[in-house]
């Protein structure tokens, strides 16, 4: 970092993903990135992490990192947003990967923002 602050630089897709998935009356503040493990956003309900992978190969890595970031900040049950707005294909494959993270308890729930803007919340199925 060499003495300068690194801030979250949410692109339009990330901002839209959070706003689309928030509940009525929620607030969101994008946080300065003081270190690699800082989550992206503080909402009315706690910390949240946004992941916007561009390929199916990155989904599992991004979700694992999200769970580690939230745990580092003492909020392991924080919100995770998985934006599929950059995906062109393989949405269902990405959802299947995300569902495994929820089912094994790594992440409590994941809000998926589909390419068409629809929002779906994944919860434990088993």
């Amino acid at each position: 970092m060499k003495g300068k602050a690194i801030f979250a630089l949410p692109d339009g897709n990330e901002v839209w993903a959070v706003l689309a998935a928030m509940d009525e009356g929620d607030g969101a503040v994008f946080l300065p990135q003081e270190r690699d493990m800082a989550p992206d956003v503080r909402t009315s309900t706690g910390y949240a992490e946004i992941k916007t992978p561009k390929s199916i190969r990155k989904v599992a890595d991004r979700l694992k990192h999200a769970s580690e970031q939230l745990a580092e900040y003492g909020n392991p049950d924080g919100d995770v947003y998985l934006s599929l707005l950059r995906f062109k294909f393989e949405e269902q494959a990405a959802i299947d990967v995300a569902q495994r993270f929820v089912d094994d308890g790594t992440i409590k729930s994941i809000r998926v923002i589909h390419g068409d803007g629809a929002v779906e919340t994944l919860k434990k199925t088993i």
Side-chain angles (χ1 to χ4, degrees), residues 32-126:
Q33 296 297 293
E34 298 163 351
R35 55 192 170 132
D36 185 44
M37 295 307 284
D40 291 324
V41 178
R42 187 181 66 239
T43 67
S44 324
T45 58
Y47 291 106
E49 181 60 27
I50 310 160
K51 295 301 179 188
T52 56
K54 294 180 184 176
S55 72
I56 191 65
R57 294 184 316 248
K58 299 288 186 180
V59 174
D61 287 341
R62 298 289 190 264
L63 292 175
K64 181 175 184 265
H65 191 250
S67 71
E68 291 167 351
Q69 287 174 284
L70 293 169
E72 175 91 3
Y73 265 62
N75 191 200
D77 292 335
D79 291 326
V80 174
Y81 299 91
L82 177 62
S83 172
L84 302 180
L85 296 170
R86 294 179 182 168
F87 264 64
K88 301 292 184 217
F89 308 101
E90 303 175 327
E91 266 197 22
Q92 189 57 51
I95 292 168
D96 292 345
V97 170
Q99 187 66 57
R100 286 193 294 272
F101 275 82
V102 175
D103 286 344
D104 73 10
T106 302
I107 298 173
K108 185 176 179 181
S109 68
I110 298 174
R111 293 183 186 190
V112 177
I113 296 83
H114 293 270
D116 65 1
V119 178
E120 170 186 11
T121 302
L122 302 180
K123 295 188 184 262
K124 197 168 197 169
T125 60
I126 53 176

